[in-house]
Amino acid sequence: MTTHGATTVGAHRQRALPAFALLALALYATGIGPRPDGAAWDRTYDIVLANLAYLAAVPAAWLASRRVPAEQMAWRALSCALLLSLTSNLIRTPAAGLQGNEPYPLLVDAGALISYLLLYVAMVGFIRSRVARFHPSMWLDGLIGALGTLAVGVAFVIGPYLDPTAGRPAVELVNLTLPVSDVLMLALLVAVGSILGVRLDRTLALMSLALGCLLVADLSLFTRTVSGTYVDGGPTDAFWVLGVVVATLTAHLAQPRAAGTAAAPRERLGWRLLALPAVCNVAGLVVLAVGWAGDLPVAAAWLAVGCALAAAARTAVTFREVRAFHEVNLQARTDELTGLPNRRVLHEAGEQMLATTTSQRPAALLLLDLDGFKEVNDSLGHSAGDQLLRQIGPRLTARLRAGDLLARLGGDEFAVLLPDTGVDAARARAEELRDLLLQPFVVDGVRLHVGVSIGVATAPVPAASVQELLRCADVAMYAAKAGREGVNVYVPDPHGGTGDRLQTMEELRTALTGDELLIHLQPQVACEDGRVVGAEALVRWAHPVRGLLSPAELLPAAERAGLLRPLTDVVLDLALTAAARWWDTREVPVSVNLSAANVTDPDLPGKVVQALARHGLPARALTLELVEDTLMADPERGREVLAELRRLGVRTSIDDYGTGYSSLAYLRTLPADELKLDRSLTADVTTDPRAAAIVRHTVALAHDLGLRLVVEGVEDAAGGAALRELGADIAQGYAIARPMAVDDFLAWLEAPRHLLVPGDLDPVR
Ligand code: C2E
Ligand code: MG
Ligand code: MG
C-alpha cells in the first residue's frame, strides 16, 4: 500500500470516528434516566453504548498523534488513557454486580488512576508543545496553583463529606481520587497554561471542555456515592460519554500548527508570572485562616500548607532566577578579561551623560590606546598581555572620581568618560592618567614599560553623540600616536577629513605589497675625519593621496595592523638594494631600524642571512638599530637574537640611547656594537654643561664597554664640534645631511660635503 493510500484510508477512518462517537452518544442519550429498581446498570446502555464512544476515541487520538508530530506524546498518552478507562469500565460494571455494591478488583481502581495520570501527561504534553522555552520553575507555579485550588476545593466543596460529625458517612479515600484528580488537573492546567501565556487554541479549548465534562461526571459520581444514591445512568453519567466524544472530536480536528505559534518566552514576563500563583497562595492562606477559626478538614489545611511551601520554594527559585538574570546582565555589560565595564556600558553611560551636558557644562571622553602592546603580546605571549591589560583597570581606577567611567573597548583600547569636564581639565586628566600608565608594570616577574596614547574629545562641541565622541577621540588618539605626543585633543578638521585610521590600515596593506614604501638615507660620518661610515635607512610612505608620509605616521598604523614585521622585511630589502649599488666602490654599511616585533622574531637572523645573500652583500654591509626598550619586553630572547646576528657578522646598534629604561647592568651584557645617543641628549651640549657632562660620561662608558658612540641629531657645526670634543665617534644629523632619496644619496656619496668637515664651508645640501 502506498503512503498516499494509507493517508486516504486514514482520512476516511478519521472522519468515521467522530461520527461513530456521536452516534454512540446519541444512542446512549436515549437510555438516560435512572436504571430500574433492582438494577444498578443496564447492559445495553452502561456496558455497550457508554463504551462505544471510547472505541472511537482511542484510534482517533492515536491517529492524531501521527498527524501532529509536535503533540505526538500528548495524543498517544490520551489514547492510552482512554483505552485504559475503557478496560476498567468493562471490568468494573459487571464485577460490581447488578446491585452495583459488590467489591470489584483493585485493579480497576488502579487502572482508573493510571488513566488519569496518562490524561495528565497528555494535557501537560499539549501545553509543553505550545511553549517555546520550558522552564522547570513553571512547574512550581503550576503546583502552587494546583495546591491552592485543591485546598479551597477540599475545604469548601469536598470538605463537608469528610466530616463524620456532620452526620454523613466518612468517604473512603478511593472515592475521592477521581474528583480530586480532576480538580488537580484543571487547576494545574489553568495555572501552568496561563503562566506560560498559552492562549487557548482549538485543541486546548476542546480538551478543557472534555475535561470539564469528566469533572462534572466524576463529581456527580462522588456526591451520589457518598450519599449512597448512585445508580448507573442518569443525566450526569452522560457527561462521561460526552467528554469522550468531545475528545474524539478534538483528535479529529487536530492539525499541525503553523511554525512560530509557540508562546514566546517573552510573554511569560508579564503580570501573569506572579498573579496566578499569588492568587492561589492567598486562597491557601484563606483556607488556613478559616480552618483556624472553624474546623476544616485536616487535608485542606495540609494542602494549604503545601501551597505555602511551594510558594516559598518558588520564591527561592525566583530569587535564583533573578540573580542569574542579573549575572547574565552583568556579564553582558562586563569585559571578560579585565572585569571593567564594556563598550555597551560606555554607550549607555555616555548617552546619559550627554543628556545633561551643555556648552556651559561640557563633558569629555578620553580614548586610551597602549603603545607597544602588540610587542608585549608577540614577545611575552598572550597571557602576559592579558595580565598587563588586567592591571590597567586597578591602576587607573584609583585616580577616577565619582561619576567617571572607565571601560575597556577591546584589545588594548580603553575609554574614560568624564562628566562635567571641559577641554583643559580633560587634557590635564589625560596627562595624569598617562603618567600613571608610564610607571612600569610587573608581568611574570618582568618589569614592563608601556606607553599610552590618549585622544581627548569633548561634548557637546564638537561631538554631540556618543558615537561622535568616540570617533573624535579616536582621531585625536591616532594623531597622538602618530606624533608620539601622548595626549592629543580633537580639533575639528576644517576640511572635514577624519583621518580614518581603518582606511589607513587597509592602504598600508596595499602599500606593503606594492611599491609605495621607499627609504631615505641619512649619512653617518666619523667625527675624527668626516669620512662616511654609514647610512641610516629611514622608511617613507609615498601615499597616493596624502603625499610622502614619515615614520611617525606610518609606524603606529603598521603597529596597530600588526604589520611591523613585513614592514621591516620591505625596508631591509630596499636598504640592501641601495647598499649593493655603492658597496663595490665604497664599503659603507647601511643601517636598518628594527622594532620590538622583529627583535623577538627567531626567524630574523635567517631572514637577514637570506636577504644579504640575495643582494650579494657580506654581513658587515648591514647594521641593525634597535631602541633599547624593544629589548625590555623579552630581554632573554632579544639577547639571543642579537647575539646570533652578531655571530653572523651583522653590526648591532642601540638607538635613541638614554631615553629608555635599560639599566647599566643590562648594558654590560648586551650584544651590541654601538650606542646611538638620542638627540634629546645631544641638543644642548654647547650651552648646557650638564648635557655635556652626560655625553662625556656616556662616551666613556661606551668606550669602556667596547662600544662606538654615535651622536644623533647634530644640527649645526658648533654642536658637531662640541660633540667631537666630548669624544663621540660618529655623527649623524642635519648638519651632515638630511635624509635623502637613494639616488640623491649616491650623488652625495660621490662628493660628501658637510659642516663638520673642517675647512669645508659649503652649505648643507
Ligand atoms: P631614528 O632611528 O632615531 O632616526 C633618526 C630620526 O631623526 C629620523 O627621523 C631623522 O630624520 C631624524 N633626524 C636626523 N637628523 C636630525 C637632526 O639633525 N635633527 C632632527 N631634529 N632630526 C634629525 P625619521 O626618519 O622621521 O624617523 C623617525 C624614527 O622612525 C626613527 O628614529 C626610527 O626610530 C623610526 N624608523 C624610521 N625608519 C624605520 C624603519 O624602517 N623601521 C623601523 N622599525 N623604524 C623606523
Ligand atoms: Mg634609527
Ligand atoms: Mg634615534
Side-chain angles (χ1 to χ4, degrees):
M1 190 187 288
T2 62
T3 324
H4 181 256
T7 323
T8 325
V9 171
H12 284 315
R13 206 182 304 158
Q14 187 70 26
R15 267 197 295 279
L17 290 173
F20 183 68
L22 275 169
L23 182 72
L25 175 67
L27 288 176
Y28 182 82
T30 63
I32 286 176
R35 298 296 172 251
D37 275 350
W41 48 273
D42 176 273
R43 189 187 306 266
T44 315
Y45 291 107
D46 299 312
I47 295 189
V48 181
L49 288 178
N51 290 317
L52 269 186
Y54 286 86
L55 273 184
V58 172
W62 195 264
L63 285 173
S65 83
R66 294 176 42 176
R67 221 173 35 250
V68 191
E71 295 170 357
Q72 191 185 60
M73 190 262 287
W75 287 115
R76 284 192 179 167
L78 183 67
S79 181
C80 293
L82 289 164
L83 186 64
L84 216 60
S85 290
L86 170 65
T87 323
S88 324
N89 286 350
L90 287 179
I91 300 174
R92 184 182 44 223
T93 315
L98 257 186
Q99 258 66 47
N101 50 10
E102 283 168 39
Y104 48 85
L106 197 68
L107 213 71
V108 169
D109 278 329
L113 242 150
I114 293 175
S115 84
Y116 262 90
L117 227 77
L118 285 169
L119 200 56
Y120 181 77
V121 170
M123 293 312 291
V124 167
F126 285 129
I127 289 184
R128 271 199 85 150
S129 70
R130 283 163 177 71
V131 179
R133 242 190 62 224
F134 199 80
H135 196 279
S137 71
M138 298 170 186
W139 287 120
L140 270 176
D141 293 336
L143 189 65
I144 295 170
L147 288 176
T149 320
L150 264 181
V152 172
V154 170
F156 304 118
V157 182
I158 307 173
Y161 299 102
L162 292 170
D163 186 5
T165 57
R168 299 186 187 98
V171 182
E172 275 183 61
L173 209 61
V174 141
N175 290 335
L176 259 180
T177 325
L178 295 192
V180 165
S181 313
D182 287 327
V183 173
L184 180 73
M185 178 145 38
L186 271 180
L188 269 181
L189 287 184
V190 173
V192 175
S194 60
I195 284 158
L196 298 186
V198 173
R199 280 185 223 100
L200 278 187
D201 51 26
R202 192 171 57 199
T203 301
L204 274 188
L206 285 177
M207 275 313 292
S208 305
L209 183 66
L211 274 183
C213 292
L214 294 189
L215 176 67
V216 172
D218 282 347
L219 274 178
S220 136
L221 168 72
F222 171 69
T223 47
R224 286 188 290 154
T225 308
V226 169
S227 55
T229 58
Y230 180 74
V231 278
D232 271 4
T236 43
D237 275 25
F239 275 90
W240 275 309
V241 188
L242 186 62
V244 173
V245 170
V246 172
T248 315
L249 274 174
T250 318
H252 167 65
L253 293 173
Q255 289 300 333
R257 275 164 296 132
T261 49
R266 181 176 276 280
E267 290 178 32
R268 215 175 109 67
L269 299 170
W271 56 268
R272 287 193 183 117
L273 185 69
L274 290 176
L276 211 100
V279 167
C280 293
N281 202 19
V282 168
L285 290 177
V286 168
V287 168
L288 276 181
V290 172
W292 198 279
D295 44 5
L296 282 183
V298 185
W302 279 119
L303 285 167
V305 169
C307 180
L309 286 178
R314 181 66 178 98
T315 311
V317 170
T318 307
F319 179 72
R320 259 201 7 231
E321 278 179 352
V322 168
R323 206 174 51 185
F325 177 73
H326 179 70
E327 263 160 27
V328 167
N329 195 24
L330 206 68
Q331 270 166 20
R333 301 165 60 81
T334 307
D335 172 60
E336 207 182 331
L337 178 69
T338 59
L340 290 172
N342 60 14
R343 190 181 277 272
R344 179 179 304 183
V345 180
L346 183 88
H347 268 269
E348 285 172 13
E351 232 118 66
Q352 273 178 20
M353 180 183 84
L354 289 182
T356 58
T357 303
T358 60
S359 39
Q360 276 73 44
R361 269 187 65 196
L365 177 104
L366 311 182
L367 193 68
L368 292 74
D369 189 290
L370 301 186
D371 299 334
F373 177 71
K374 203 179 167 299
E375 271 80 357
V376 174
N377 254 348
D378 285 351
S379 54
L380 290 182
H382 283 267
S383 102
D386 288 353
Q387 282 183 49
L388 175 65
L389 290 177
R390 274 195 283 264
Q391 292 183 36
I392 305 284
R395 189 174 285 192
L396 293 185
T397 310
R399 262 330 147 76
L400 298 182
R401 302 186 194 138
D404 294 354
L405 177 90
L406 168 66
R408 178 177 175 225
L409 302 184
D412 58 349
E413 225 174 53
F414 296 82
V416 185
L417 269 186
L418 301 172
D420 252 331
T421 310
V423 63
D424 294 331
R427 182 194 284 276
R429 296 290 306 281
E431 296 283 1
E432 197 184 334
L433 295 183
R434 178 163 184 266
D435 288 346
L436 272 182
L437 291 183
L438 290 182
Q439 307 297 318
F441 290 87
V442 178
V443 170
D444 281 342
V446 178
R447 275 159 69 85
L448 283 185
H449 292 272
V450 287
V452 61
S453 301
I454 305 183
V456 183
T458 46
V461 185
S465 68
V466 183
Q467 275 87 354
E468 267 176 45
L469 258 182
L470 275 169
R471 195 178 52 77
C472 295
D474 193 55
V475 171
M477 190 274 293
Y478 181 52
K481 219 171 244 289
R484 302 203 175 170
E485 44 191 315
V487 175
N488 186 287
V489 178
Y490 177 76
V491 188
D493 181 350
H495 307 299
T498 57
D500 188 343
R501 74 176 200 232
L502 274 181
Q503 200 188 337
T504 312
M505 281 183 198
E506 261 330 294
E507 290 168 351
L508 187 58
R509 272 180 235 277
T510 11
L512 276 173
T513 45
D515 52 5
E516 288 173 21
L517 287 192
L518 49 110
I519 51 163
H520 277 186
L521 292 164
Q522 187 179 34
Q524 301 173 331
V525 298
C527 289
E528 201 179 20
D529 50 12
R531 166 172 60 85
V532 184
V533 293
E536 180 172 7
L538 296 159
V539 70
R540 298 289 182 266
W541 180 6
H543 191 279
V545 181
R546 293 161 65 194
L548 199 63
L549 300 182
S550 72
E553 284 159 292
L554 164 61
L555 295 179
E559 181 188 350
R560 291 176 153 280
L563 293 173
L564 281 175
R565 283 187 187 179
L567 179 113
T568 304
D569 294 344
V570 172
V571 173
L572 185 67
D573 198 61
L574 290 171
L576 293 180
T577 308
R581 291 174 66 182
W582 71 70
W583 187 261
D584 288 339
T585 48
R586 282 167 202 270
E587 296 206 343
V588 173
V590 70
S591 303
V592 169
N593 292 281
L594 297 181
S595 57
N598 302 123
V599 176
T600 50
D601 178 4
D603 297 336
L604 182 70
K607 277 188 206 164
V608 167
V609 169
Q610 278 175 19
L612 284 167
R614 230 182 4 254
H615 296 280
L617 290 170
R620 65 194 149 85
L622 179 67
T623 304
L624 293 173
E625 294 189 9
L626 53 131
V627 181
E628 46 183 330
D629 281 358
T630 58
L631 276 173
M632 297 308 284
D634 187 353
E636 270 314 305
R637 241 164 84 189
R639 226 195 315 252
E640 277 168 26
V641 172
L642 279 197
E644 174 67 19
L645 286 167
R646 285 188 78 214
R647 260 198 301 279
L648 295 169
V650 174
R651 249 196 295 264
T652 55
S653 172
I654 307 300
D655 204 354
D656 298 352
Y657 181 74
T659 56
Y661 296 87
S662 59
S663 67
L664 291 174
Y666 180 65
L667 197 60
R668 193 165 54 90
T669 57
L670 198 64
D673 298 282
E674 63 181 35
L675 288 188
K676 284 186 85 174
L677 198 56
D678 191 69
R679 67 169 178 270
S680 60
L681 294 171
T682 61
D684 304 321
V685 279
T686 49
T687 52
D688 183 357
R690 293 167 65 91
I694 290 175
V695 173
R696 192 171 26 247
H697 285 107
T698 311
V699 166
L701 175 73
H703 289 169
D704 281 352
L705 292 174
L707 306 171
R708 294 187 308 182
L709 190 100
V710 183
V711 284
E712 286 188 290
V714 184
E715 292 188 344
D716 50 48
L723 287 164
R724 184 174 52 213
E725 285 308 308
L726 289 168
D729 302 299
I730 297 166
Q732 178 182 350
Y734 295 168
I736 296 117
R738 289 184 176 252
M740 51 198 139
V742 177
D743 286 338
D744 295 341
F745 177 77
L746 277 165
W748 184 89
L749 209 50
E750 291 305 315
R753 285 165 299 163
H754 53 81
L755 287 180
L756 297 195
V757 179
D760 186 348
L761 294 176
D762 271 8
V764 180
R765 316 166 55 101

